[in-house]
Amino acid sequence: MTEEVYKKLADALDTHPNGFPRTESGVEIAILKKIFSRDEAIIACQLSRKQESYDSIAERLRLPANRVKSKLTEMVKRGLIRHNVQNGKSRYRLAPFIIGFYEAQLENMDHQLAHLVEEYLFEGGAEGIMRPQPAIHRVLPAQGAVKSEWILPYDEVKNIIKANNIFSVRKCICRVQQDHLGRRCKFPLDVCLTFSSRKRPPRPGDISKKDALALLDKADETGLVHTVSNVMEGLSYICNCCSCCCNILRGVTDFGIENSVAHSNYYSEINTDECTGCGICKDRCQVNAISIKDEIAVVNRRRCIGCGLCNTGCPTRAARLRIKPEDEIVNPPVDFETWELQRLRNRGIIK
């Protein structure tokens, strides 16, 4: 009976736009058992992407409303489900695996969970989550890498930060996971930036707007790729990613999924007259899109994600970002609702 509850939860998660494909080994069930208690799984498997009140959930489960409300509140605190307030009333929905309750496992991540997640990704989890379109994340070009007259409104990192009031920084769950596997890089942990336009009391991890902008500058200097939700409106975080740890960028480097992240609408171009062949751009490129041939940097445009790290690290500024031709521009979905519907259609879950 207990096993069936977790199987139902896995199936419910796979109907979510983000996906949670089943595997032959059933390693995804082991992941869910590690994260959800049996009682939590019983409730979570009854949820969907649609927001519901706790009393309607309790009625479906045939359980006391106060008991269900208490359990939902606890699950929200642990990041297992999502919560919103509409017309003064709390609403709940199922959180996806990625991006979702996986990112909430900072305290729970250990050697066992790290290996379970890695096994799951290689057994088809990465393919099922990162192959469908629209991609979960999109790339933002590094600050200063694109001429101001070219930058598209939804790509301007500084404007995204300036439009918000509350900022917080937390550890990167992907690097925490990789620490338990023997991390392959030395990039810093505290680089995940969340923000909101709503005011609230201060919390641990909060930083100022000035510090948020400085964090992005430091991430760029260090050689990390800025990624955000693949939407125009409703952004709430900026990840600063490396392809050796970030599970989404690893889609490109480890899992052979070129569009696991939505490329920015810019591409790298090398001015051969100014290039010295120093190789800095090659070393900074997180997706191996640059090689050195005859002492000149060469960009594989198909592989280039348009992050701009080559530009900001180039001592002669021979590497430059250009905006793509108009017929190659791909605008992200307007908001999460649009993104979810497009993704569900492309996955064949809805017509």
Side-chain angles (χ1 to χ4, degrees):
M1 177 63 181
T2 297
E3 189 82 7
E4 288 303 312
V5 168
Y6 288 102
K7 288 180 179 178
K8 286 179 68 175
L9 177 54
D11 289 340
L13 286 164
D14 200 31
T15 65
H16 199 284
N18 301 53
F20 190 66
R22 303 296 297 276
T23 67
E24 188 174 341
S25 73
V27 64
E28 68 279 4
I29 303 301
I31 292 173
L32 296 179
K33 286 181 176 179
K34 177 75 174 174
I35 295 173
F36 292 80
S37 71
R38 180 179 177 275
D39 287 346
E40 290 168 342
I42 288 172
I43 293 176
C45 74
Q46 293 294 322
L47 303 181
S48 69
R49 75 178 190 89
K50 296 182 179 179
Q51 299 185 16
E52 297 181 83
S53 62
Y54 71 87
D55 46 2
S56 67
I57 298 168
E59 183 178 355
R60 186 163 64 254
L61 288 166
R62 297 181 179 179
L63 291 173
N66 286 341
R67 176 183 165 188
V68 171
K69 181 181 180 182
S70 176
K71 185 61 69 175
L72 289 168
T73 301
E74 182 181 331
M75 293 169 72
V76 168
K77 289 179 180 178
R78 292 176 52 218
L80 303 185
I81 60 175
R82 289 184 172 166
H83 167 258
N84 194 15
V85 177
Q86 293 180 350
N87 300 321
K89 193 166 186 177
S90 291
R91 304 281 178 175
Y92 306 89
R93 61 173 285 182
L94 186 63
F97 176 53
I98 294 174
I99 303 292
F101 60 82
Y102 164 74
E103 285 74 21
Q105 301 307 307
L106 284 171
E107 294 183 6
N108 196 34
M109 186 61 70
D110 58 15
H111 180 83
Q112 181 190 25
L113 182 56
H115 279 268
L116 288 172
V117 171
E118 196 74 356
E119 184 180 343
Y120 176 66
L121 292 174
F122 275 99
E123 283 194 21
E127 180 75 16
I129 293 171
M130 299 170 204
R131 178 78 66 182
Q133 296 296 305
I136 293 174
H137 268 187
R138 66 182 175 92
V139 173
L140 289 180
Q143 300 179 76
V146 184
K147 290 184 177 181
S148 58
E149 63 267 29
W150 291 351
I151 192 93
L152 297 166
Y154 49 75
D155 286 334
E156 180 52 74
V157 173
K158 288 187 177 181
N159 287 345
I160 292 171
I161 296 301
K162 290 176 181 178
N164 289 277
N165 300 307
I166 300 294
F167 304 89
S168 184
V169 64
R170 58 183 297 177
K171 288 181 171 61
C172 168
I173 185 62
C174 297
R175 289 190 198 109
V176 171
Q177 180 203 347
Q178 290 299 318
D179 277 346
H180 291 285
L181 301 174
R183 184 153 51 120
R184 294 172 286 172
C185 77
K186 296 182 180 180
F187 288 111
L189 283 174
D190 298 292
V191 293
C192 286
L193 180 65
T194 61
F195 42 83
S196 174
S197 59
R198 298 177 182 177
K199 294 185 177 181
R200 58 162 174 75
R203 296 176 185 170
D206 283 357
I207 60 175
S208 67
K209 184 176 295 189
K210 180 180 178 181
D211 287 341
L213 289 167
L215 185 151
L216 294 178
D217 285 337
K218 186 65 176 179
D220 174 36
E221 178 185 336
T222 306
L224 295 173
V225 177
H226 306 316
T227 68
V228 294
S229 298
N230 189 20
V231 293
M232 292 187 193
E233 301 173 359
L235 299 178
S236 60
Y237 63 85
I238 296 177
C239 291
N240 295 292
C241 307
C242 60
S243 61
C244 46
C245 296
C246 170
N247 289 324
I248 291 180
L249 282 189
R250 287 177 66 203
V252 179
T253 57
D254 288 354
F255 304 117
I257 308 170
E258 287 187 352
N259 293 320
S260 66
V261 65
H263 300 189
S264 80
N265 285 310
Y266 314 88
Y267 65 94
S268 177
E269 182 180 79
I270 305 297
N271 185 322
T272 56
D273 292 333
E274 297 177 4
C275 180
T276 63
C278 67
I280 291 175
C281 59
K282 178 179 180 293
D283 293 339
R284 280 172 66 84
C285 182
Q286 290 288 351
V287 293
N288 304 319
I290 300 179
S291 57
I292 305 296
K293 295 181 180 179
D294 298 326
E295 299 185 348
I296 296 293
V298 178
V299 178
N300 180 338
R301 186 175 165 189
R302 179 175 176 179
R303 197 174 181 90
C304 173
I305 59 176
C307 67
L309 289 178
C310 55
N311 171 276
T312 56
C314 180
T316 64
R317 290 298 172 121
R320 301 168 183 173
L321 277 193
R322 301 288 191 188
I323 192 165
K324 292 178 180 177
E326 190 172 343
D327 61 351
E328 293 183 28
I329 298 290
V330 178
N331 295 313
V334 174
D335 53 27
F336 285 104
E337 180 67 19
T338 304
W339 180 87
E340 288 190 329
L341 290 174
Q342 289 181 13
R343 181 102 168 178
L344 288 170
R345 289 191 188 100
N346 290 340
R347 292 188 61 217
I349 294 175
I350 64 171
K351 293 183 180 180

